[in-house]
PDB file of all heavy atoms in Angstrom:
ATOM      1  N   GLU A 173    -110.631 -62.208-155.565  1.00  0.00           N
ATOM      2  CA  GLU A 173    -111.519 -62.625-154.472  1.00  0.00           C
ATOM      3  C   GLU A 173    -112.109 -61.354-153.855  1.00  0.00           C
ATOM      4  O   GLU A 173    -111.468 -60.310-153.864  1.00  0.00           O
ATOM      5  CB  GLU A 173    -110.724 -63.411-153.422  1.00  0.00           C
ATOM      6  CG  GLU A 173    -111.539 -63.873-152.233  1.00  0.00           C
ATOM      7  CD  GLU A 173    -110.802 -64.935-151.420  1.00  0.00           C
ATOM      8  OE1 GLU A 173    -110.023 -64.562-150.521  1.00  0.00           O
ATOM      9  OE2 GLU A 173    -110.989 -66.126-151.707  1.00  0.00           O
ATOM     10  N   ILE A 174    -113.326 -61.484-153.344  1.00  0.00           N
ATOM     11  CA  ILE A 174    -113.970 -60.324-152.724  1.00  0.00           C
ATOM     12  C   ILE A 174    -114.404 -60.686-151.307  1.00  0.00           C
ATOM     13  O   ILE A 174    -115.022 -61.732-151.084  1.00  0.00           O
ATOM     14  CB  ILE A 174    -115.186 -59.861-153.558  1.00  0.00           C
ATOM     15  CG1 ILE A 174    -114.698 -59.300-154.900  1.00  0.00           C
ATOM     16  CG2 ILE A 174    -116.003 -58.812-152.789  1.00  0.00           C
ATOM     17  CD1 ILE A 174    -115.804 -58.978-155.890  1.00  0.00           C
ATOM     18  N   VAL A 175    -114.038 -59.826-150.362  1.00  0.00           N
ATOM     19  CA  VAL A 175    -114.527 -59.960-148.981  1.00  0.00           C
ATOM     20  C   VAL A 175    -115.562 -58.863-148.770  1.00  0.00           C
ATOM     21  O   VAL A 175    -115.240 -57.679-148.836  1.00  0.00           O
ATOM     22  CB  VAL A 175    -113.385 -59.816-147.955  1.00  0.00           C
ATOM     23  CG1 VAL A 175    -113.954 -59.890-146.532  1.00  0.00           C
ATOM     24  CG2 VAL A 175    -112.329 -60.882-148.160  1.00  0.00           C
ATOM     25  N   LEU A 176    -116.796 -59.285-148.574  1.00  0.00           N
ATOM     26  CA  LEU A 176    -117.863 -58.298-148.388  1.00  0.00           C
ATOM     27  C   LEU A 176    -118.178 -58.178-146.907  1.00  0.00           C
ATOM     28  O   LEU A 176    -118.694 -59.106-146.283  1.00  0.00           O
ATOM     29  CB  LEU A 176    -119.122 -58.706-149.154  1.00  0.00           C
ATOM     30  CG  LEU A 176    -120.222 -57.644-149.113  1.00  0.00           C
ATOM     31  CD1 LEU A 176    -119.837 -56.409-149.923  1.00  0.00           C
ATOM     32  CD2 LEU A 176    -121.549 -58.210-149.613  1.00  0.00           C
ATOM     33  N   ASN A 177    -117.836 -57.029-146.354  1.00  0.00           N
ATOM     34  CA  ASN A 177    -118.128 -56.800-144.943  1.00  0.00           C
ATOM     35  C   ASN A 177    -119.415 -55.990-144.812  1.00  0.00           C
ATOM     36  O   ASN A 177    -119.487 -54.847-145.249  1.00  0.00           O
ATOM     37  CB  ASN A 177    -116.975 -56.056-144.271  1.00  0.00           C
ATOM     38  CG  ASN A 177    -117.200 -55.989-142.782  1.00  0.00           C
ATOM     39  OD1 ASN A 177    -117.334 -57.013-142.123  1.00  0.00           O
ATOM     40  ND2 ASN A 177    -117.301 -54.790-142.256  1.00  0.00           N
ATOM     41  N   CYS A 178    -120.410 -56.640-144.242  1.00  0.00           N
ATOM     42  CA  CYS A 178    -121.714 -55.997-144.107  1.00  0.00           C
ATOM     43  C   CYS A 178    -121.728 -55.237-142.785  1.00  0.00           C
ATOM     44  O   CYS A 178    -121.823 -55.830-141.707  1.00  0.00           O
ATOM     45  CB  CYS A 178    -122.811 -57.061-144.160  1.00  0.00           C
ATOM     46  SG  CYS A 178    -122.653 -58.107-145.642  1.00  0.00           S
ATOM     47  N   MET A 179    -121.574 -53.913-142.878  1.00  0.00           N
ATOM     48  CA  MET A 179    -121.297 -53.084-141.698  1.00  0.00           C
ATOM     49  C   MET A 179    -122.440 -53.096-140.689  1.00  0.00           C
ATOM     50  O   MET A 179    -122.202 -52.994-139.488  1.00  0.00           O
ATOM     51  CB  MET A 179    -121.008 -51.649-142.127  1.00  0.00           C
ATOM     52  CG  MET A 179    -119.730 -51.500-142.928  1.00  0.00           C
ATOM     53  SD  MET A 179    -119.567 -49.843-143.628  1.00  0.00           S
ATOM     54  CE  MET A 179    -119.273 -48.858-142.152  1.00  0.00           C
ATOM     55  N   ASN A 180    -123.662 -53.199-141.155  1.00  0.00           N
ATOM     56  CA  ASN A 180    -124.799 -53.178-140.221  1.00  0.00           C
ATOM     57  C   ASN A 180    -124.719 -54.351-139.246  1.00  0.00           C
ATOM     58  O   ASN A 180    -125.196 -54.275-138.125  1.00  0.00           O
ATOM     59  CB  ASN A 180    -126.138 -53.258-140.973  1.00  0.00           C
ATOM     60  CG  ASN A 180    -126.233 -52.238-142.082  1.00  0.00           C
ATOM     61  OD1 ASN A 180    -125.496 -52.345-143.064  1.00  0.00           O
ATOM     62  ND2 ASN A 180    -127.097 -51.255-141.934  1.00  0.00           N
ATOM     63  N   GLN A 181    -124.108 -55.436-139.714  1.00  0.00           N
ATOM     64  CA  GLN A 181    -124.065 -56.656-138.902  1.00  0.00           C
ATOM     65  C   GLN A 181    -122.779 -56.787-138.098  1.00  0.00           C
ATOM     66  O   GLN A 181    -122.697 -57.642-137.236  1.00  0.00           O
ATOM     67  CB  GLN A 181    -124.163 -57.891-139.824  1.00  0.00           C
ATOM     68  CG  GLN A 181    -125.566 -58.344-140.109  1.00  0.00           C
ATOM     69  CD  GLN A 181    -126.282 -57.420-141.079  1.00  0.00           C
ATOM     70  OE1 GLN A 181    -125.655 -56.621-141.759  1.00  0.00           O
ATOM     71  NE2 GLN A 181    -127.590 -57.508-141.106  1.00  0.00           N
ATOM     72  N   ASP A 182    -121.766 -55.971-138.412  1.00  0.00           N
ATOM     73  CA  ASP A 182    -120.438 -56.232-137.872  1.00  0.00           C
ATOM     74  C   ASP A 182    -120.408 -56.194-136.353  1.00  0.00           C
ATOM     75  O   ASP A 182    -120.821 -55.222-135.730  1.00  0.00           O
ATOM     76  CB  ASP A 182    -119.424 -55.229-138.422  1.00  0.00           C
ATOM     77  CG  ASP A 182    -118.011 -55.597-138.015  1.00  0.00           C
ATOM     78  OD1 ASP A 182    -117.544 -56.654-138.438  1.00  0.00           O
ATOM     79  OD2 ASP A 182    -117.400 -54.826-137.253  1.00  0.00           O
ATOM     80  N   GLY A 183    -119.881 -57.289-135.784  1.00  0.00           N
ATOM     81  CA  GLY A 183    -119.615 -57.332-134.348  1.00  0.00           C
ATOM     82  C   GLY A 183    -120.837 -57.526-133.467  1.00  0.00           C
ATOM     83  O   GLY A 183    -120.710 -57.627-132.252  1.00  0.00           O
ATOM     84  N   VAL A 184    -122.038 -57.600-134.048  1.00  0.00           N
ATOM     85  CA  VAL A 184    -123.229 -57.731-133.193  1.00  0.00           C
ATOM     86  C   VAL A 184    -123.731 -59.172-133.089  1.00  0.00           C
ATOM     87  O   VAL A 184    -124.644 -59.456-132.316  1.00  0.00           O
ATOM     88  CB  VAL A 184    -124.371 -56.765-133.637  1.00  0.00           C
ATOM     89  CG1 VAL A 184    -123.921 -55.324-133.465  1.00  0.00           C
ATOM     90  CG2 VAL A 184    -124.790 -57.016-135.068  1.00  0.00           C
ATOM     91  N   ARG A 185    -123.097 -60.074-133.869  1.00  0.00           N
ATOM     92  CA  ARG A 185    -123.321 -61.527-133.735  1.00  0.00           C
ATOM     93  C   ARG A 185    -124.778 -61.947-133.917  1.00  0.00           C
ATOM     94  O   ARG A 185    -125.271 -62.822-133.232  1.00  0.00           O
ATOM     95  CB  ARG A 185    -122.784 -62.021-132.386  1.00  0.00           C
ATOM     96  CG  ARG A 185    -121.297 -61.737-132.207  1.00  0.00           C
ATOM     97  CD  ARG A 185    -120.639 -62.730-131.279  1.00  0.00           C
ATOM     98  NE  ARG A 185    -120.973 -62.562-129.884  1.00  0.00           N
ATOM     99  CZ  ARG A 185    -120.244 -61.861-129.007  1.00  0.00           C
ATOM    100  NH1 ARG A 185    -119.120 -61.287-129.417  1.00  0.00           N
ATOM    101  NH2 ARG A 185    -120.606 -61.769-127.766  1.00  0.00           N
ATOM    102  N   LYS A 186    -125.486 -61.299-134.839  1.00  0.00           N
ATOM    103  CA  LYS A 186    -126.881 -61.681-135.084  1.00  0.00           C
ATOM    104  C   LYS A 186    -127.064 -62.384-136.427  1.00  0.00           C
ATOM    105  O   LYS A 186    -128.184 -62.535-136.919  1.00  0.00           O
ATOM    106  CB  LYS A 186    -127.774 -60.441-135.002  1.00  0.00           C
ATOM    107  CG  LYS A 186    -127.835 -59.911-133.578  1.00  0.00           C
ATOM    108  CD  LYS A 186    -128.957 -58.931-133.373  1.00  0.00           C
ATOM    109  CE  LYS A 186    -129.116 -58.623-131.884  1.00  0.00           C
ATOM    110  NZ  LYS A 186    -129.697 -57.303-131.654  1.00  0.00           N
ATOM    111  N   GLY A 187    -125.959 -62.775-137.035  1.00  0.00           N
ATOM    112  CA  GLY A 187    -126.039 -63.498-138.301  1.00  0.00           C
ATOM    113  C   GLY A 187    -125.514 -62.659-139.461  1.00  0.00           C
ATOM    114  O   GLY A 187    -125.547 -61.434-139.427  1.00  0.00           O
TER     115      GLY A 187
END
Side-chain angles (χ1 to χ4, degrees):
Chain A
E173 179 165 87
I174 293 172
V175 177
L176 186 69
N177 188 58
C178 307
M179 294 171 70
N180 309 67
Q181 271 74 16
D182 187 64
V184 296
R185 301 207 287 265
K186 292 195 170 153

